[in-house]
Amino acid sequence: EIVMTQSPATLSVSPGERATLSCRASQSVSNSLAWFQQKPGQAPRLLIYGASTGATGLPARFSGSGSGTEFTLTISSLQSEDFAVYSCQQYNKWPYTFGQGTKLEIK
Amino acid sequence: QVQLEQSGAEVKKPGASVRVSCAASGYTFTDYYIHWVRQAPGQGLDWMGVINPDDGSTTFAQKLQGRVTLTRDTSTRTVYMELSSLRSEDTAVYYCARGPPLGDWGQGTLVTVSS
Protein backbone atom coordinates (compact mmCIF):
# COMPACT_ATOMS: atom_id res chain seq x y z
CA GLU A 1 0.00 0.00 0.00
CA ILE A 2 1.03 3.61 -0.49
CA VAL A 3 2.37 5.19 2.71
CA MET A 4 1.61 8.88 3.23
CA THR A 5 3.95 10.78 5.51
CA GLN A 6 3.11 14.24 6.80
CA SER A 7 5.48 16.75 8.32
CA PRO A 8 5.77 18.24 10.78
CA ALA A 9 3.61 16.38 13.28
CA THR A 10 2.90 19.66 15.07
CA LEU A 11 3.29 23.16 13.70
CA SER A 12 3.13 26.23 15.95
CA VAL A 13 2.31 29.44 14.09
CA SER A 14 1.04 32.86 15.14
CA PRO A 15 -2.24 34.22 13.77
CA GLY A 16 -1.66 36.22 10.60
CA GLU A 17 1.43 34.26 9.65
CA ARG A 18 1.85 31.68 6.89
CA ALA A 19 1.69 27.94 7.50
CA THR A 20 3.19 25.34 5.18
CA LEU A 21 2.31 21.68 5.64
CA SER A 22 3.93 18.83 3.75
CA CYS A 23 2.74 15.43 2.60
CA ARG A 24 4.91 12.81 0.91
CA ALA A 25 3.78 9.62 -0.81
CA SER A 26 5.89 6.46 -0.91
CA GLN A 27 5.16 6.18 -4.63
CA SER A 28 3.60 8.44 -7.22
CA VAL A 29 -0.08 9.22 -6.76
CA SER A 30 -0.18 11.60 -9.74
CA ASN A 31 -2.41 14.47 -8.59
CA SER A 32 -4.89 12.26 -6.75
CA LEU A 33 -4.29 13.95 -3.43
CA ALA A 34 -6.77 15.53 -1.03
CA TRP A 35 -6.33 17.65 2.07
CA PHE A 36 -8.75 17.63 4.99
CA GLN A 37 -9.22 19.82 8.04
CA GLN A 38 -10.59 18.33 11.24
CA LYS A 39 -11.62 20.02 14.47
CA PRO A 40 -12.32 18.19 17.73
CA GLY A 41 -15.60 16.29 17.69
CA GLN A 42 -16.24 17.00 14.02
CA ALA A 43 -16.03 15.00 10.82
CA PRO A 44 -13.20 15.85 8.45
CA ARG A 45 -13.82 18.66 5.97
CA LEU A 46 -12.48 18.43 2.42
CA LEU A 47 -10.31 21.45 1.61
CA ILE A 48 -8.34 20.55 -1.51
CA TYR A 49 -8.65 17.78 -4.10
CA GLY A 50 -6.72 17.02 -7.24
CA ALA A 51 -3.71 18.34 -5.28
CA SER A 52 -4.59 21.97 -6.02
CA THR A 53 -8.34 22.44 -6.55
CA GLY A 54 -10.18 24.12 -3.73
CA ALA A 55 -13.44 22.68 -2.47
CA THR A 56 -16.57 24.79 -2.81
CA GLY A 57 -16.46 27.80 -0.52
CA LEU A 58 -12.84 27.37 0.49
CA PRO A 59 -11.28 30.67 1.58
CA ALA A 60 -8.62 31.97 -0.80
CA ARG A 61 -5.94 31.81 1.89
CA PHE A 62 -5.82 28.01 1.46
CA SER A 63 -3.87 26.59 -1.47
CA GLY A 64 -2.46 23.22 -2.47
CA SER A 65 0.40 22.30 -4.74
CA GLY A 66 2.51 19.39 -5.87
CA SER A 67 2.24 16.20 -7.89
CA GLY A 68 3.72 12.75 -7.92
CA THR A 69 5.11 12.22 -4.42
CA GLU A 70 5.50 15.68 -2.89
CA PHE A 71 2.60 17.90 -1.87
CA THR A 72 2.11 21.08 0.10
CA LEU A 73 -0.82 22.80 1.76
CA THR A 74 -0.30 26.49 2.38
CA ILE A 75 -2.43 28.77 4.52
CA SER A 76 -1.32 32.28 3.68
CA SER A 77 -2.53 34.23 6.72
CA LEU A 78 -3.76 32.14 9.62
CA GLN A 79 -7.10 32.94 11.17
CA SER A 80 -8.22 31.69 14.57
CA GLU A 81 -10.57 29.17 12.98
CA ASP A 82 -7.70 27.54 11.04
CA PHE A 83 -6.09 25.95 14.06
CA ALA A 84 -6.96 22.29 13.65
CA VAL A 85 -5.56 18.96 12.43
CA TYR A 86 -4.82 18.62 8.72
CA SER A 87 -4.60 15.28 6.95
CA CYS A 88 -3.70 14.31 3.42
CA GLN A 89 -5.12 11.32 1.55
CA GLN A 90 -4.14 9.69 -1.72
CA TYR A 91 -6.94 8.34 -3.87
CA ASN A 92 -4.85 7.09 -6.78
CA LYS A 93 -4.76 3.45 -5.69
CA TRP A 94 -6.69 1.33 -3.21
CA PRO A 95 -6.35 1.35 -0.23
CA TYR A 96 -6.88 5.11 -0.14
CA THR A 97 -4.37 5.84 2.61
CA PHE A 98 -4.18 8.88 4.87
CA GLY A 99 -1.21 10.62 6.39
CA GLN A 100 -0.99 10.65 10.16
CA GLY A 101 -1.96 14.32 10.34
CA THR A 102 -0.36 17.64 11.23
CA LYS A 103 -1.67 19.52 14.23
CA LEU A 104 -1.61 23.26 13.58
CA GLU A 105 -1.53 25.07 16.89
CA ILE A 106 -1.41 28.66 18.02
CA LYS A 107 2.04 29.95 18.87
CA GLN B 1 -28.23 19.07 -0.33
CA VAL B 2 -26.17 15.92 0.09
CA GLN B 3 -26.63 14.22 3.44
CA LEU B 4 -25.18 11.07 4.93
CA GLU B 5 -26.98 10.11 8.14
CA GLN B 6 -25.37 7.44 10.30
CA SER B 7 -26.85 5.25 12.99
CA GLY B 8 -26.22 5.84 16.68
CA ALA B 9 -23.45 4.89 19.06
CA GLU B 10 -22.86 1.25 19.91
CA VAL B 11 -21.25 -0.57 22.84
CA LYS B 12 -20.13 -4.11 22.13
CA LYS B 13 -18.23 -6.84 23.92
CA PRO B 14 -15.03 -8.33 22.50
CA GLY B 15 -15.79 -11.00 19.93
CA ALA B 16 -19.15 -9.53 18.98
CA SER B 17 -20.16 -7.88 15.71
CA VAL B 18 -21.45 -4.39 15.01
CA ARG B 19 -23.42 -2.99 12.11
CA VAL B 20 -23.44 0.72 11.30
CA SER B 21 -25.75 2.24 8.71
CA CYS B 22 -25.29 5.25 6.44
CA ALA B 23 -28.43 6.65 4.79
CA ALA B 24 -27.81 8.84 1.77
CA SER B 25 -29.99 11.62 0.39
CA GLY B 26 -29.76 14.60 -1.92
CA TYR B 27 -28.09 12.92 -4.90
CA THR B 28 -28.33 9.88 -7.18
CA PHE B 29 -27.35 7.06 -4.84
CA THR B 30 -25.76 4.83 -7.46
CA ASP B 31 -23.55 7.54 -8.93
CA TYR B 32 -21.02 7.76 -6.10
CA TYR B 33 -18.95 5.28 -4.12
CA ILE B 34 -19.36 5.18 -0.36
CA HIS B 35 -16.20 4.83 1.71
CA TRP B 36 -15.76 3.94 5.38
CA VAL B 37 -13.10 5.61 7.47
CA ARG B 38 -12.46 5.14 11.17
CA GLN B 39 -10.62 7.14 13.78
CA ALA B 40 -9.47 5.65 17.06
CA PRO B 41 -9.31 8.02 20.06
CA GLY B 42 -6.52 10.54 19.57
CA GLN B 43 -5.39 8.89 16.33
CA GLY B 44 -5.45 9.69 12.63
CA LEU B 45 -7.89 8.70 9.92
CA ASP B 46 -7.86 5.08 8.76
CA TRP B 47 -9.46 4.06 5.46
CA MET B 48 -11.39 0.82 5.81
CA GLY B 49 -13.04 0.09 2.51
CA VAL B 50 -15.43 1.16 -0.23
CA ILE B 51 -18.61 -0.01 -1.90
CA ASN B 52 -19.98 0.80 -5.31
CA PRO B 53 -23.71 1.26 -4.67
CA ASP B 54 -24.44 0.58 -8.33
CA ASP B 55 -23.31 -3.04 -8.41
CA GLY B 56 -22.42 -3.74 -4.78
CA SER B 57 -18.75 -4.44 -5.50
CA THR B 58 -16.37 -3.82 -2.62
CA THR B 59 -12.69 -3.28 -1.81
CA PHE B 60 -11.20 -3.41 1.67
CA ALA B 61 -8.02 -2.53 3.50
CA GLN B 62 -6.01 -5.72 3.74
CA LYS B 63 -5.75 -5.61 7.53
CA LEU B 64 -9.55 -5.80 7.80
CA GLN B 65 -10.09 -8.46 5.14
CA GLY B 66 -12.35 -11.18 6.45
CA ARG B 67 -13.74 -9.06 9.30
CA VAL B 68 -15.53 -6.26 7.46
CA THR B 69 -18.54 -6.47 5.18
CA LEU B 70 -20.15 -3.67 3.21
CA THR B 71 -23.62 -4.00 1.74
CA ARG B 72 -26.15 -1.63 0.26
CA ASP B 73 -29.91 -1.40 -0.10
CA THR B 74 -30.77 0.66 -3.12
CA SER B 75 -34.46 0.83 -2.19
CA THR B 76 -33.66 2.72 1.02
CA ARG B 77 -30.43 4.36 -0.24
CA THR B 78 -28.55 2.93 2.70
CA VAL B 79 -25.10 1.42 3.04
CA TYR B 80 -24.23 -0.92 5.91
CA MET B 81 -20.82 -1.61 7.44
CA GLU B 82 -20.50 -4.72 9.57
CA LEU B 83 -17.35 -5.46 11.55
CA SER B 84 -17.00 -8.83 13.24
CA SER B 85 -14.74 -10.38 15.89
CA LEU B 86 -14.48 -7.04 17.61
CA ARG B 87 -11.47 -6.27 19.79
CA SER B 88 -10.63 -3.31 21.97
CA GLU B 89 -8.52 -1.80 19.18
CA ASP B 90 -11.68 -1.42 17.10
CA THR B 91 -12.96 1.25 19.48
CA ALA B 92 -13.26 4.27 17.21
CA VAL B 93 -15.53 6.74 15.50
CA TYR B 94 -16.66 5.26 12.19
CA TYR B 95 -17.49 7.56 9.29
CA CYS B 96 -19.07 7.00 5.91
CA ALA B 97 -18.09 9.40 3.15
CA ARG B 98 -18.96 9.94 -0.50
CA GLY B 99 -16.33 10.12 -3.19
CA PRO B 100 -13.56 10.23 -4.19
CA PRO B 101 -12.66 12.83 -3.32
CA LEU B 102 -14.37 12.46 0.06
CA GLY B 103 -16.31 15.68 -0.04
CA ASP B 104 -19.34 14.64 2.01
CA TRP B 105 -19.18 12.84 5.34
CA GLY B 106 -21.60 11.35 7.79
CA GLN B 107 -21.60 12.65 11.35
CA GLY B 108 -19.72 9.64 12.67
CA THR B 109 -20.72 6.70 14.86
CA LEU B 110 -18.83 5.88 18.03
CA VAL B 111 -18.29 2.17 18.50
CA THR B 112 -16.94 1.17 21.89
CA VAL B 113 -15.61 -2.34 22.44
CA SER B 114 -15.33 -3.16 26.10
CA SER B 115 -15.86 -6.12 28.36
Side-chain angles (χ1 to χ4, degrees):
Chain A
E1 72 177 41
I2 298 174
V3 177
M4 307 301 292
T5 303
Q6 291 185 242
S7 60
T10 304
L11 184 60
S12 299
V13 183
S14 300
E17 293 189 341
R18 173 189 294 256
T20 302
L21 290 68
S22 296
C23 176
R24 173 178 292 179
S26 61
Q27 61 184 263
S28 177
V29 298
S30 186
N31 68 339
S32 299
L33 190 285
W35 288 96
F36 298 88
Q37 177 193 68
Q38 191 176 22
K39 297 180 179 179
Q42 296 183 14
R45 170 196 175 194
L46 177 68
L47 301 177
I48 300 283
Y49 63 95
S52 61
T53 301
T56 302
L58 185 68
R61 63 183 181 272
F62 289 89
S63 63
S65 63
S67 67
T69 62
E70 300 283 345
F71 302 89
T72 300
L73 174 69
T74 301
I75 311 171
S76 59
S77 178
L78 281 163
Q79 307 297 302
S80 58
E81 61 267 30
D82 300 335
F83 292 96
V85 175
Y86 292 82
S87 300
C88 62
Q89 184 202 26
Q90 67 80 19
Y91 53 96
N92 188 64
K93 184 182 293 187
W94 285 323
Y96 287 174
T97 42
F98 288 91
Q100 80 280 16
T102 290
K103 182 180 181 180
L104 182 55
E105 63 177 29
I106 301 175
K107 186 174 182 180
Chain B
Q1 73 281 21
V2 174
Q3 283 195 311
L4 299 174
E5 186 70 28
Q6 297 184 223
S7 50
E10 303 266 9
V11 179
K12 296 292 183 180
K13 294 193 182 302
S17 297
V18 67
R19 191 173 83 154
V20 179
S21 65
C22 172
S25 60
Y27 70 98
T28 302
F29 180 63
T30 52
D31 279 357
Y32 294 86
Y33 287 24
I34 293 291
H35 301 249
W36 288 84
V37 176
R38 67 179 181 177
Q39 186 169 39
Q43 302 301 306
L45 300 167
D46 184 24
W47 186 87
M48 299 176 64
V50 59
I51 185 168
N52 179 349
D54 190 31
D55 62 8
S57 59
T58 55
T59 298
F60 301 108
Q62 188 167 15
K63 62 184 174 184
L64 292 173
Q65 286 274 5
R67 287 209 299 139
V68 63
T69 304
L70 297 180
T71 57
R72 93 291 191 212
D73 182 338
T74 55
S75 67
T76 60
R77 304 162 57 87
T78 302
V79 171
Y80 298 93
M81 186 282 297
E82 182 166 3
L83 188 61
S84 61
S85 302
L86 289 168
R87 48 194 83 148
S88 58
E89 310 89 87
D90 295 318
T91 293
V93 176
Y94 289 74
Y95 294 100
C96 60
R98 185 184 79 144
L102 303 186
D104 298 286
W105 293 67
Q107 80 275 24
T109 297
L110 176 62
V111 174
T112 303
V113 183
S114 174
S115 55

